[in-house]
Amino acid sequence: MKKGCIAFLVFALLFSSAMAEGFDLSNMTLEGSPGLLSADRSELITDEPSLVEKATDLLLSTWKNKVYGDYAGSEHGYLEIVHTQITYIKKSYAARDLTGKAGDDLFHNVFCVIDFMLLSDYYGSAPYYVNTDYYSSIIVYRNGEMEAVSVSPFKRYISITYRTDFSEIIESVHDCGDKYNAAFNLLDQ
């Protein structure tokens, strides 16, 4: 009885809020409503300048708070973006059911991967800056969430599967070149 009442209340709340916002609920069932309640409210940004800007903000925050925050080798926290590349994942690959094979989940629900080539003072070697290839990838999920990862999912895929053929995974690659290049002293901010 309680479950029935709760389901009715949930449906009534969803119906009233949906009607206020003009949603079509003609095909909705009670079985589908719990997913709506727990769904993330993030939105996927698809225009590249906004996508890269949001990814850059996450990259800078990760380097300032995690990388340089955990490692005190750098005086100013220098980080320079010298190249940006966006790799779009095929929707059919990202949306497929997981099979349990090694590396299978690396691109699950992924919209794209933004890889930055970075120079940093990670080792405290300024004025000589190095590409550590550490926390240089941002994964953008289909629900709009982003995640900074220490190792590119493509490199992880190769190390797990020993496969370098990404033709079934990659939709397209956009090489942005130096369009988003910038330098930051993260610890001085």
Side-chain angles (χ1 to χ4, degrees), residues 132-152:
T132 61
D133 207 19
Y134 184 60
Y135 278 103
S136 60
S137 296
I138 304 292
I139 298 174
V140 180
Y141 293 97
R142 293 198 166 273
N143 66 359
E145 291 184 17
M146 291 187 173
E147 177 185 11
V149 292
S150 60
V151 177
S152 165

Side-chain angles (χ1 to χ4, degrees), residues 153-167:
F154 295 103
K155 289 183 180 180
R156 288 191 62 215
Y157 182 85
I158 292 169
S159 70
I160 292 169
T161 66
Y162 300 103
R163 294 176 45 197
T164 57
D165 179 7
F166 294 109
S167 60

Side-chain angles (χ1 to χ4, degrees), residues 7-188:
F8 175 77
L9 288 174
V10 167
F11 185 77
L13 280 170
L14 287 173
F15 181 78
S16 63
S17 65
M19 292 308 291
E21 294 181 19
F23 290 114
D24 177 19
L25 296 178
S26 60
N27 294 326
M28 186 173 161
T29 63
L30 281 177
E31 291 80 26
S33 59
L36 291 175
L37 292 175
S38 64
D40 185 18
R41 301 290 184 231
S42 297
E43 288 187 30
L44 179 61
I45 299 169
T46 57
D47 73 289
E48 283 187 357
S50 298
L51 194 64
V52 173
E53 179 182 350
K54 190 174 176 185
T56 301
D57 289 344
L58 177 57
L59 178 81
L60 297 178
S61 172
T62 300
W63 270 81
K64 180 177 183 175
N65 299 317
K66 184 174 182 80
V67 179
Y68 283 134
D70 291 345
Y71 182 74
S74 175
E75 182 179 346
H76 299 285
Y78 184 83
L79 185 69
E80 182 178 358
I81 298 171
V82 295
H83 187 87
T84 305
Q85 177 175 288
I86 304 172
T87 306
Y88 294 95
I89 306 304
K90 288 182 179 177
K91 186 175 184 178
S92 59
Y93 191 86
R96 77 195 194 311
D97 291 332
L98 296 176
T99 63
K101 293 180 185 175
D104 194 40
D105 61 340
L106 291 174
F107 300 98
H108 188 67
N109 290 325
V110 174
F111 175 67
C112 69
V113 177
I114 302 174
D115 290 305
F116 297 95
M117 181 178 286
L118 305 172
L119 296 177
S120 71
D121 187 26
Y122 179 78
Y123 297 114
S125 58
Y128 177 75
Y129 303 113
V130 296
N131 177 5
T132 61
D133 207 19
Y134 184 60
Y135 278 103
S136 60
S137 296
I138 304 292
I139 298 174
V140 180
Y141 293 97
R142 293 198 166 273
N143 66 359
E145 291 184 17
M146 291 187 173
E147 177 185 11
V149 292
S150 60
V151 177
S152 165
F154 295 103
K155 289 183 180 180
R156 288 191 62 215
Y157 182 85
I158 292 169
S159 70
I160 292 169
T161 66
Y162 300 103
R163 294 176 45 197
T164 57
D165 179 7
F166 294 109
S167 60
E168 71 178 273
I169 300 171
I170 295 175
E171 179 72 36
S172 65
V173 178
H174 181 214
D175 186 346
C176 302
D178 61 0
K179 183 176 181 178
Y180 300 104
N181 287 6
F184 309 91
N185 285 313
L186 298 173
L187 300 179
D188 294 344

